[in-house]
């Protein structure tokens, strides 16, 4: 069988010899030149691999377009489809598409690894809107998308760098209803001068032209006699089958070949990452019964292979035509299932089968169960119609059971209402009416996250003439995803409620029954929280209907999103009505749903300095267009050399054990595995060295004794990446634990056993004053308070990767995605026993680092080089996301105990901190963490300050530097202490902060090495400015007013500061001028998305431009910054600590000065002869005069290399007391950037760091099992922020303080410090919880101090709900009933 499809207009074929299990992403990246789609997760959870799939309907002569996840889509299933990747939109040579140019121009790409996927999600949305022809004809330059739709186009795509705001702005620039002046900083216009004519032009029809050759083949194929299809069954040796009838399907499975997989869209492989190989696939999508849609007066029957997106369209259309409110609400809820690029291919039937067979926590099963749906299944020759409830209760389906269709009944009685709000509002008697609502509580509002619990409720209600209340006549209460086998009906609760007037007492009784019904299975995380959600949702559904709570229709529409005075905007103040705060309780919104904006208008204030042009101009990031168009080459985009092999790590799953043997699974003989590389394969001249820092080496491979779960034991080498990954996952490692002690798996256990690493004394900061004296001065004291902080995973979009190519004369060329190629070179040389000059390491760009591509990149590159050296063939490794998450470690977990003394006015007199750091199994850079923590903690004047620090050695994977290592924790603990003091004094924490902010004198005492004058110390003025610009005091009063009137929502507002020390490192720079006058620049710093190349390019143009005093020669476009090469620029050092960009710039500036000194005499001589001299003329003459046109400088920072960064942030949040959901309403930041080298780059760093901090403080739950093995190991279980979880209003000002003449052109660092400001969100959440705990139904939570409580980091939904009371609904209902 031949599969024919197109990629970017080119024809491709697959035949039976090709791997039927190969995904479209595998095919694109290995068999075409189109490497734009990237492998980010392999689970359909990140969007880096998104492409557009186009389908041609020959009968209607219509083309439809949809975004799809290429990492899940099987290439063999693309017969007669057209695929468009980002390269298919345009390129830098032939012309970029407006999508590329606008994303680049809005500064919406940093590391760029996610950008091609962003481009294709947006492009598919544009093409889809155009294809549907919906909405009015757009204005020129715009599309048919609304702003809200444009934002949602990228709602399923992850980005770890930008903070999303500029991406959303780029998307909204295409929207027909956008006000361009509302969009943020860009390279197209200045504020107040926006016009569509200044944007790269967009025209309808510019995306996704379906190839004519493919149309012709499709039309031709329709005329082929269908009877020939039986031949497909006869070809039993075929690896891919497309049966065209149910009968054909059963003939195929009757052959009973093992290794058969039945698929529709294959999206289940993103949920269940199978380490399996199948030799036969059966694709169900050509069976007519599975694609048909039948409608009648009773309802709609939808074929099981219909995509979820198409089901949504069908239900919306039917709901509108028949005024069926249930259909509309089901469609609304389905839009929160997965993400658009999954829904576009995932089938309705596949979702239900996973729920039935695999215990998948399906939302769809729950909502269809409540809607009274049924299914049609075929079991061999028998066709059955059963209710969905019966289907879910059946034994798990196998291939002999085929789900054919799903029937969803209509509910359209004349008196139907979207809610109980229309029931008896005026007191009139009404006929029986319907209520239908769906609910979900999930880490992300717009989907791309499995729910903690989902539910859907259907009720028929009638008015009780005697009591005036409402009676439930018929009820279906469905719950799912809470740690249960499948969605269930809460029949005991239904029995409790049916036939009785709805009242508070009845509802309380029902809640008690429900708690006994919704019992998650043992081991389910957050079990009590999930049970409380069930109660909360039932309360949200029925409480508005309780007797005496039916308000006039004008005041509230029960269970609906829109309430009086809010216009559907959750930011508007709620009505005083007691029930209004129930309106948004995570029930899926209807009506206005698609028109709700994710983000409000945001402000970016930057001051552009023209002192050192072109330095200081907010130019586009170098390479942004290449990143968008897929032309930028990352390590895994480099074409595989001939005879290339692939490696995958085998790692320990035990924390402390003897490794007796490692064997490959013998059942996988068909995998073309070559060997397993272990410690035995290290050359005798080399050593078992996986990484090395100034604190010592660590081993490459564990064994014979493994030290942690996640320690590498060996590398499987195979002919393909997929084979290597499967073989590694299926490897059998035999362990034994005889004679071994129990592993150390907590800080407490490490302390008990005195399991510590030494901290060099020179790294420990000075203590201040005498703690005991400070405590004597205090009016109040707090002793031994405790804060615990968890880890955080890097989640760079590009996982750890390397390509090693053996070269002549025992040499090795290694392409490594590393923040420190020089360290990679040293480590490989040490491991292989070679001189460093035999090892050449090249790094062009890195797809995100955040510290994780520093020391932790070394073992990957070293293992790859070892395999290549041993086998004398090229080897490449690209860790799958799970392996990366398990092996790479992350931020240091900590336990902090503090004692503090303070005056009654809030002035702190003494602080002592005991710091315990979990370093994992090796030192890495852990000895610097106490220093970093203490330096960050010293942002306030603590009076007398002392500390003790211990670095704990444990049997966890090694912790390493992550953006702001130690400093994030230190800065946060400072805020936690301030909050504790404020709580003890019953005063506003902001007043305590102001009382203890440094004076210039105390700053000099706490940071003696960073001398700062009054002009340079900008923090006090930043605080005053932010308080004024953010209307802090007025908003605080508004928050307090809101909290008094709102029962189930509470708000909090908080203000935090940073005074953060950075340290510059020595850095090389090299500038060369070529024959034609073009300029090549090399630096030690690595471009990891932070805009280093951009700033360096600007600096080179400025430095060489000094030859012309009038700045008449613009050299910017003549400069190219090239990749780091360890045999070209030596002493490259580490790209870390936020200062490498400025150090690289200064090295380049000094190299340019050398060049200027060489060229100046020649220029003056030429000027005397001929007047004005051009750059080209000067370089031409310099060549002839034998002037050296290359200069290198090694910049060594002096006293100015260490300085303080200042900033402040105010954040306002709203929490939902029923679900624990936190919405960030607004964040205002002011950050002192000195005189920014590039305001656009620095703004992006500030926003991106802040949002990464939101992840740490609010959403990124890092979970390990009892052996210390990471189980938050993918996009399903680890939730970084998305566009729908950032501040709805996100205002950032870069302060141009301009006083730092000792710095690099007066600039300051921007990469790490703003991350600490995200603590403002956490503190605001704590304040909102404190407001909730004042209410009687949230009080009495057993806290030792009613006013103070420790809020966990991250403050995920279950944590917030627990702090507000898991039983707050029951308590509230009891207060209504009063004492018995």
């Amino acid at each position: 069988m031949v599969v024919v499809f197109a990629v970017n207009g080119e024809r491709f074929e697959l035949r039976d010899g090709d791997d039927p299990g190969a995904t479209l992403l595998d095919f694109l990246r290995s068999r075409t030149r189109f490497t734009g789609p990237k492998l980010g997760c392999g689970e359909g959870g990140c969007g880096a691999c998104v492409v557009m799939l186009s389908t041609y309907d020959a009968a209607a002569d219509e083309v439809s377009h949809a975004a799809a996840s290429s990492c899940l889509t099987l290439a063999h299933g693309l017969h007669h489809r057209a695929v468009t990747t980002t390269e298919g939109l345009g390129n830098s040579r032939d012309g970029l598409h407006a999508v590329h140019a606008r994303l680049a121009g809005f500064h919406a790409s940093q590391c760029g690894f996610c950008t091609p996927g962003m481009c294709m999600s947006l492009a598919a949305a544009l093409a889809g809107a155009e294809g549907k022809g919906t909405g009015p004809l757009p204005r020129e330059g715009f599309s048919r998308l609304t702003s809200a739709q444009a934002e949602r186009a990228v709602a399923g795509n992850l980005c770890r760098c930008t903070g999303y705001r500029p991406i959303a702005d780029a998307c909204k620039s295409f929207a027909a209803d956008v006000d361009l002046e509302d969009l943020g900083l860009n390279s197209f216009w200045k504020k107040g001068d926006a016009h569509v004519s200044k944007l790269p032009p967009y025209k309808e029809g510019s995306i996704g032209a379906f190839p004519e050759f493919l149309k012709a083949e499709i039309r031709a194929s329709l005329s082929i006699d269908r009877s020939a299809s039986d031949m497909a069954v006869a070809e039993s040796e075929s690896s891919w089958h497309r049966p065209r009838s149910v009968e054909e399907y059963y003939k195929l499975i009757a052959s009973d070949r093992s290794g058969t997989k039945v698929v529709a869209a294959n999206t289940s492989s993103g949920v269940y990452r199978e380490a399996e190989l199948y030799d036969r696939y059966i694709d169900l999508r050509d069976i007519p019964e599975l694609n048909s849609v039948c409608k009648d007066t009773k309802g709609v029957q939808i074929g099981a292979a219909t995509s979820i997106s198409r089901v949504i369209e069908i239900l919306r259309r039917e709901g509108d035509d028949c005024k069926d409110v249930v259909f509309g609400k089901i469609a609304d809820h389905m839009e929160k299932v997965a993400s658009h690029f999954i829904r576009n291919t995932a089938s309705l039937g596949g979702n239900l089968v996973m729920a039935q067979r695999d215990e998948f926590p399906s939302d769809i099963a729950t909502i269809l169960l409540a809607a009274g749906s049924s299914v049609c299944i075929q079991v061999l020759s028998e066709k059955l119609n059963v209710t969905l409830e019966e289907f879910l209760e059946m034994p798990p389906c196998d291939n002999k059971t085929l789900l054919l269709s799903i029937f969803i009944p209509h509910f359209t009685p004349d008196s139907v209402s979207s809610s109980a709000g229309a029931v008896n509002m005026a007191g009139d008697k009404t006929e029986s009416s319907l209520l239908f609502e769906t609910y979900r509580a999930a880490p992300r509002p717009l989907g791309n996250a499995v729910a903690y619990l989902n539910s859907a409720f259907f009720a028929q209600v009638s008015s009780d003439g005697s009591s005036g209340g409402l009676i439930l006549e018929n009820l279906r209460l469905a719950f799912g995803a809470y740690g249960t086998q499948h969605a269930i009906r809460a029949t005991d609760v239904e029995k409790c409620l049916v036939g009785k007037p709805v009242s508070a007492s009845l509802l309380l009784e029902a809640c008690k029954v429900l708690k006994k019904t919704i019992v998650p299975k043992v081991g389910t995380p957050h079990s009590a929280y999930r049970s409380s959600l069930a109660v909360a949702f039932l309360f949200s559904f029925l409480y508005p209907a309780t007797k005496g709570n039916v308000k006039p229709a004008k005041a509230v529409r029960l269970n609906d999103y829109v309430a009086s005075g809010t216009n559907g905007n959750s930011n508007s103040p709620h009505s005083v009505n007691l029930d209004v705060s129930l309106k948004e309780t995570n029930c899926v919104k209807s009506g206005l749903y698609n028109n709700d904006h994710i983000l409000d208008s945001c402000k970016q204030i930057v001051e552009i300095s023209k002192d050192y042009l072109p330095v200081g101009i907010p130019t586009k990031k170098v390479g942004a267009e290449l990143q968008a168009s897929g032309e930028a080459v990352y390590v895994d985009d480099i074409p595989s050399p001939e005879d290339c092999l692939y490696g995958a790590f085998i790692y320990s799953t035990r924390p402390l054990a003897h490794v007796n043997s490692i064997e490959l699974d013998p059942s996988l003989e068909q995998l073309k595995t070559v060997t397993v590389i272990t410690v035995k394969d290290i050359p005798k001249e080399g050593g078992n060295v996986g990484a090395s820092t100034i604190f010592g080496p660590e081993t490459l491979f564990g064994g014979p004794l493994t030290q942690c779960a996640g320690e590498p034991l060996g590398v499987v080498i195979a002919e393909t990446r997929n084979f290597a990954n499967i073989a590694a996952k299926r490897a059998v490692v035999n362990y034994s634990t005889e004679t071994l002690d129990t592993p150390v798996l907590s800080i407490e256990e490490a302390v008990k056993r005195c399991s510590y690493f030494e901290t060099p004394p020179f790294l420990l900061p000075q203590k201040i004053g005498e703690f005991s004296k400070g405590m004597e001065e205090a009016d109040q004291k707090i002793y031994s308070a405790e804060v615990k902080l968890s880890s955080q995973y890097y989640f760079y979009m590009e996982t750890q990767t390397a390509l090693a190519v053996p070269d002549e004369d025992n040499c090795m060329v290694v392409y490594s995605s590393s923040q420190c190629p020089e360290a990679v070179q040293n480590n490989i040389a040490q491991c292989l026993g070679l001189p460093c000059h035999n090892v050449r390491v090249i790094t062009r760009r890195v797809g995100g680092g955040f510290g994780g591509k520093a020391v932790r990149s070394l073992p990957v590159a070293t293992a790859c080089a070892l395999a290549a050296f041993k086998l004398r063939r090229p080897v490449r490794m690209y860790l799958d996301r799970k392996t990366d998450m398990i092996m790479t470690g992350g931020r240091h977990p900590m336990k902090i105990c503090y004692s503090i003394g303070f005056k009654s006015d809030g002035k702190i007199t003494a602080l002592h901190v005991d710091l315990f750091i979990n370093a994992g199994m090796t030192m890495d850079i852990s000895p610097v963490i106490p220093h970093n923590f203490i330096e960050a903690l010293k942002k306030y004047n603590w009076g007398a300050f002392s500390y003790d620090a211990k670095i704990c050695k444990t049997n966890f994977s090694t912790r390493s530097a992550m953006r702001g290592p130690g400093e994030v924790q230190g800065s946060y603990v400072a805020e936690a202490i301030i909050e504790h003091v404020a709580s003890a004094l019953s005063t506003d924490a902001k007043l305590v902060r102001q009382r203890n902010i440094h004076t210039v004198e105390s700053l000099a005492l706490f940071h003696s090495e960073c001398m700062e004058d009054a002009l340079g110390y900008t923090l006090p003025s930043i605080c005053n400015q932010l308080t004024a610009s953010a209307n802090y005091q007025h908003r605080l009063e508004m928050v307090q007013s809101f909290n008094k009137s709102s029962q189930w929502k509470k708000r909090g507002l908080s203000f935090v500061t940073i005074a953060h020390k950075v340290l510059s490192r020595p850095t090389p720079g090299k500038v060369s001028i070529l024959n034609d006058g073009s300029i090549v620049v090399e630096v030690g710093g690595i471009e990891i998305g932070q805009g280093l190349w951009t700033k360096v390019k600007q600096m080179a143009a400025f430095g060489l431009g000094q030859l012309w005093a009038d700045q008449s020669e613009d050299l910017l476009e003549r400069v190219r910054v090239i990749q780091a090469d360890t045999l070209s620029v030596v002493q490259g050092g580490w790209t870390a600590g936020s200062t490498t960009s400025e150090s690289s710039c200064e090295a380049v500036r000094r190299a340019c000065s050398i060049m200027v000194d060489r060229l100046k005499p020649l220029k003056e001589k030429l000027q005397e002869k001929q007047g004005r001299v051009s750059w080209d003329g000067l370089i031409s003459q310099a060549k002839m005069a034998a002037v050296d046109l290359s200069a290198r400088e090694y910049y060594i920072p002096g006293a100015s290399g260490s300085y303080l960064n200042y900033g402040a942030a105010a954040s306002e949040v709203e929490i939902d007391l029923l679900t624990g959901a936190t919405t960030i309403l607004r964040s205002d930041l002011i950050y002192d950037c000195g005189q920014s080298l590039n305001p656009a780059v620095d703004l992006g760093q500030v926003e991106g760091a802040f949002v990464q901090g939101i992840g740490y403080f609010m959403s990124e739950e890092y979970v390990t099992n009892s052996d210390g093995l990471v189980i938050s190991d993918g996009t399903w279980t680890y939730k970084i922020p998305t566009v729908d979880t950032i501040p709805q209003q996100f205002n950032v000002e870069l302060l141009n303080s301009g006083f730092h003449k000792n710095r690099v052109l007066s600039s300051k660092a921007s990469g790490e410090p703003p991350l600490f400001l995200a603590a403002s969100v956490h503190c605001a959440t704590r304040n909102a919880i404190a407001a909730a705990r004042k209410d009687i139904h949230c009080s009495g939570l057993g806290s030792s101090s009613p006013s103070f409580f420790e809020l966990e980091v991250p403050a995920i939904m279950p944590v917030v709900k627990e702090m507000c009371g898991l039983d707050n609904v029951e308590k509230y209902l009891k207060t209504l009933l009063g004492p018995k």
Side-chain angles (χ1 to χ4, degrees), residues 965-981:
E967 297 142 337
V968 176
Q969 297 97 319
S971 187
Y972 168 74
V973 169
E975 301 301 338
I977 294 170
I978 292 286
E979 298 263 342
H980 198 165
V981 171

Side-chain angles (χ1 to χ4, degrees), residues 886-1024:
I886 286 171
M887 283 181 52
T888 309
R891 201 178 287 289
H892 288 76
M894 295 183 183
K895 177 181 175 182
I896 303 99
C897 301
Y898 62 87
S899 297
I900 190 163
F902 48 96
K903 299 279 193 182
S904 299
D905 65 356
K907 179 64 184 166
I908 294 167
T909 60
L911 172 68
H912 176 80
V913 169
D914 288 308
L915 172 64
F916 302 94
I917 298 161
N918 185 343
M921 68 170 183
T922 65
M923 271 204 284
D924 197 279
I925 55 88
S926 294
V928 305
I929 298 297
H931 169 273
N932 291 3
F933 179 96
I934 298 302
E935 290 293 344
L937 188 72
K938 293 194 307 191
K939 66 181 179 178
Y940 291 115
N941 180 1
W942 302 111
F945 173 65
S946 64
Y947 67 90
D948 185 47
K950 293 278 192 294
I951 302 171
C952 300
K953 180 180 181 180
T954 62
N955 295 111
F956 284 102
S957 56
T958 298
R959 306 293 131 174
S960 191
M962 181 174 179
R963 202 175 195 170
E967 297 142 337
V968 176
Q969 297 97 319
S971 187
Y972 168 74
V973 169
E975 301 301 338
I977 294 170
I978 292 286
E979 298 263 342
H980 198 165
V981 171
S983 178
L985 294 170
S986 300
T987 188
D988 183 6
K990 185 170 182 287
L991 298 176
V992 179
R993 288 185 177 96
Q994 287 173 333
R995 181 76 63 187
N996 295 287
I997 198 170
H998 280 295
T999 61
V1000 174
E1001 293 74 27
S1002 69
L1003 190 72
L1005 181 64
F1006 276 72
H1007 294 283
S1008 56
E1009 70 284 11
C1010 300
M1011 295 305 293
E1012 196 80 88
D1013 58 21
L1015 280 177
Y1017 181 43
T1018 55
L1019 185 58
S1021 63
I1022 285 174
C1023 292
N1024 293 336

Side-chain angles (χ1 to χ4, degrees), residues 1107-1314:
L1107 280 163
W1108 283 266
D1110 60 357
Q1111 298 180 341
S1112 58
E1113 285 287 322
D1114 182 2
L1115 303 179
L1116 189 63
E1117 293 311 312
R1118 292 177 180 264
V1119 180
R1120 176 181 291 277
V1121 187
I1122 63 169
Q1123 62 198 18
D1125 183 333
T1126 55
L1127 295 188
S1128 180
V1129 172
V1130 300
Q1131 294 176 281
W1134 301 74
T1135 300
S1138 303
T1139 56
T1140 313
S1141 291
E1142 65 199 61
S1143 297
S1144 297
C1145 282
E1146 182 61 11
V1148 166
R1149 189 186 70 79
R1150 294 184 180 197
C1152 288
S1153 294
I1154 295 170
M1155 200 78 79
V1156 166
D1157 290 342
R1158 291 177 190 165
L1159 291 169
K1160 202 167 192 178
L1162 176 62
K1163 177 176 176 280
E1164 289 170 351
K1165 194 184 293 183
L1166 290 170
Q1167 266 178 327
E1168 287 174 14
K1169 288 183 182 177
Q1170 61 191 57
R1172 172 161 179 77
V1173 180
S1174 69
W1175 173 260
D1176 289 332
L1178 176 63
I1179 300 308
S1180 177
Q1181 291 297 317
K1183 268 191 318 183
M1184 294 168 66
V1187 176
D1188 183 357
L1189 294 179
S1190 184
R1192 183 188 187 275
E1193 178 66 25
Y1194 190 59
Y1195 166 57
I1196 302 172
S1200 64
S1202 178
Y1203 60 87
L1204 291 166
N1205 289 73
Y1206 309 111
S1211 290
E1212 182 179 350
V1213 306
E1214 181 176 283
I1215 62 170
D1216 184 326
L1217 274 58
L1218 293 172
T1219 65
T1222 301
T1223 302
I1224 309 170
L1225 302 178
R1226 176 173 168 179
S1227 289
D1228 295 82
L1229 283 68
I1230 298 180
Y1231 183 72
D1232 179 359
C1233 251
Q1235 199 159 306
S1236 172
L1237 300 175
N1238 183 314
V1241 166
D1242 287 330
L1243 179 73
Q1245 287 294 285
V1246 171
E1247 291 182 335
F1250 186 81
V1251 170
Q1252 194 170 84
I1254 289 172
Y1256 177 59
F1257 289 115
M1258 300 304 296
S1259 69
E1260 295 177 33
E1261 190 182 15
Y1262 191 98
V1263 184
T1264 59
N1265 68 11
S1266 58
D1267 283 328
L1269 183 71
V1270 175
I1271 53 176
S1272 300
D1273 57 8
T1275 56
W1276 285 89
T1277 48
Y1278 193 81
K1279 297 300 179 185
I1280 70 169
T1282 43
V1283 72
D1284 53 335
T1285 56
I1286 68 171
Q1288 292 177 348
Q1289 194 174 344
F1290 195 4
N1291 303 319
V1292 180
E1293 178 177 352
L1294 295 187
L1295 181 70
N1296 183 346
S1297 51
F1299 304 119
H1300 314 284
K1301 300 309 178 187
N1302 291 332
R1303 318 267 193 266
V1304 177
L1305 300 192
S1306 300
S1307 68
K1308 280 191 164 190
S1310 61
E1312 290 171 303

Side-chain angles (χ1 to χ4, degrees), residues 551-552 555-556 574-581 1045-1047:
K551 306 294 182 193
V556 62
H574 286 299
S575 146
V576 181
N577 183 322
L578 179 71
D579 309 318
V580 173
S581 62
S1045 63
S1046 176
Q1047 190 86 45

